[in-house]
C-alpha cells in the first residue's frame, strides 16, 4: 500500500491517542497481575477476545455467526483451563482482578479502534480532496510505535534513570549479566516486537474478522 499523502492531522491524533490508551490499559493489566497473581490473571485476561468481538459489533457493526462465537468461547475456555492447576494468588486479589478486567476490556477496545482508523470511510462526494480518510498499516504502526517509544522514554528518564543502581545495575551484577548481553537481549526484543507489531496491524486490516481474529491469535500466542 503506497503512501501518496501525509496522513491527516486528525488521524495522527487518533492513532497517538490509541497508543497512549493502550499503554494505560497494559499498565492496568500488569499491575493487576502483580496484585492478583498469575492464576486470576490468566483466567480474566483471556476475555480480551470476547471484548474485541463485542466492541467490533458496536463500533464496526460486525456480527459473528454462532460458529464464530463458539470458536471464541472455546479459545477463552482453553486459556482459562491452563490456570486451573495453579494456586498462585496475589496479595490483593479483588483489586487486582478488577484492574485486569477493566484493562482487558480496554485492551480489546484498542484492537477495534486500531482497525477502525485503518478502515476506509464511505466515499464523500462533497469533499473532493484525494487525501485518504484512513491510515495505512505502515503509517498506523509507525505513529503508534513512535508515540509509545516517546512515552516509555520519558518514563525511563523521569523514573528509572534516577533509580538506575537499585533497579538495573545491582540485579545485573547479582545475576552475572554483562552490559553486552543485556544489550543483545534488548535488541532481540526490539526486533521481535517490530515483527509482532507489523503483523498485528496487518491482521487487523486484512485478515478476516479483523480485531476479533487478532484477539484469537493473541490467545494462541
Amino acid at each position: 500500500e503506497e503512501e501518496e499523502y501525509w496522513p491527516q492531522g486528525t488521524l495522527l491524533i487518533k492513532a497517538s491517542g490509541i497508543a497512549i490508551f493502550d499503554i494505560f490499559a497494559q499498565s492496568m493489566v500488569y499491575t493487576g497481575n502483580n496484585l492478583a497473581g498469575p492464576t486470576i490473571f490468566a483466567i480474566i485476561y483471556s476475555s480480551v477476545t470476547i471484548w474485541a468481538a463485542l466492541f467490533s459489533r458496536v463500533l464496526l457493526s460486525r456480527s459473528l455467526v454462532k460458529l464464530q462465537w463458539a470458536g471464541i468461547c472455546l479459545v477463552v475456555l482453553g486459556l482459562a483451563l491452563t490456570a486451573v492447576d495453579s494456586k498462585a494468588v496475589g496479595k490483593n486479589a479483588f483489586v487486582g482482578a478488577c484492574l485486569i478486567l477493566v484493562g482487558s476490556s480496554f485492551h480489546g477496545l484498542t484492537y477495534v479502534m486500531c482497525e477502525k482508523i485503518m478502515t476506509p470511510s464511505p466515499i464523500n462526494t462533497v469533499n473532493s480532496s484525494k487525501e485518504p480518510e484512513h491510515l495505512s498499516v505502515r503509517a498506523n504502526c509507525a505513529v503508534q510505535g513512535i508515540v509509545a517509544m516517546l512515552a516509555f522514554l520519558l518514563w525511563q528518564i523521569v523514573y528509572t534513570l534516577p533509580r538506575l543502581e537499585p533497579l538495573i545495575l545491582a540485579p545485573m551484577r547479582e545475576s552475572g549479566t554483562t552490559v553486552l548481553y543485556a544489550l543483545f537481549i534488548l535488541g532481540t526484543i526490539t526486533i521481535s516486537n517490530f515483527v509482532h507489531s507489523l503483523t498485528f496491524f496487518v491482521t487487523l486490516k486484512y485478515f478476516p474478522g479483523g480485531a476479533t481474529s487478532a484477539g484469537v491469535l493473541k490467545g494462541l500466542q
Side-chain angles (χ1 to χ4, degrees):
E1 184 176 358
E2 297 294 331
E3 300 285 353
E4 297 182 3
Y5 299 92
W6 183 256
Q8 296 179 1
T10 53
L11 289 175
L12 295 178
I13 294 174
K14 289 179 180 179
S16 301
I18 293 173
I20 298 298
F21 185 77
D22 186 54
I23 293 174
F24 178 68
Q26 292 283 19
S27 299
M28 294 185 67
V29 166
Y30 290 112
T31 301
N33 180 30
N34 291 331
L35 294 175
T39 301
I40 296 177
F41 171 79
I43 295 173
I44 299 179
Y45 189 67
S46 63
S47 66
V48 168
T49 306
I50 295 180
W51 288 113
L54 292 175
F55 286 125
S56 293
R57 182 70 181 92
V58 174
L59 298 179
L60 301 176
S61 300
R62 177 183 294 131
S63 57
L64 302 178
V65 299
K66 294 181 179 179
L67 185 60
Q68 290 173 315
W69 276 112
I72 291 173
C73 293
L74 183 62
V75 171
V76 173
L77 178 62
L79 292 171
L81 287 176
T82 61
V84 169
D85 292 334
S86 175
K87 304 299 181 182
V89 178
K91 56 185 178 181
N92 197 334
F94 177 75
V95 175
C98 292
L99 289 173
I100 297 170
L101 180 62
V102 177
S104 298
S105 65
F106 286 174
H107 195 48
L109 180 58
T110 60
Y111 285 23
V112 179
M113 291 191 297
C114 284
E115 181 183 356
K116 187 174 180 61
I117 64 173
M118 291 190 296
T119 303
S121 303
I123 298 177
N124 188 352
T125 56
V126 177
N127 185 7
S128 60
S129 173
K130 295 182 179 180
E131 294 185 8
E133 297 180 355
H134 64 282
L135 283 177
S136 68
V137 171
R138 289 183 300 175
N140 197 12
C141 185
V143 171
Q144 294 203 39
I146 291 173
V147 171
M149 181 194 69
L150 293 176
F152 285 120
L153 180 62
L154 180 62
W155 174 263
Q156 299 297 333
I157 293 174
V158 173
Y159 181 83
T160 306
L161 193 58
R163 302 166 178 82
L164 186 63
E165 175 62 29
L167 291 180
I168 307 295
L169 299 181
M172 284 179 60
R173 287 194 297 268
E174 292 176 2
S175 61
T177 303
T178 64
V179 175
L180 184 61
Y181 186 60
L183 292 176
F184 170 75
I185 295 175
L186 290 174
T188 304
I189 294 175
T190 300
I191 295 173
S192 64
N193 281 343
F194 172 77
V195 176
H196 177 275
S197 297
L198 187 59
T199 54
F200 170 74
F201 288 112
V202 170
T203 300
L204 286 179
K205 184 164 186 178
Y206 297 112
F207 199 81
T212 305
S213 297
V216 172
L217 294 175
K218 178 72 173 180
L220 295 177
Q221 175 193 350

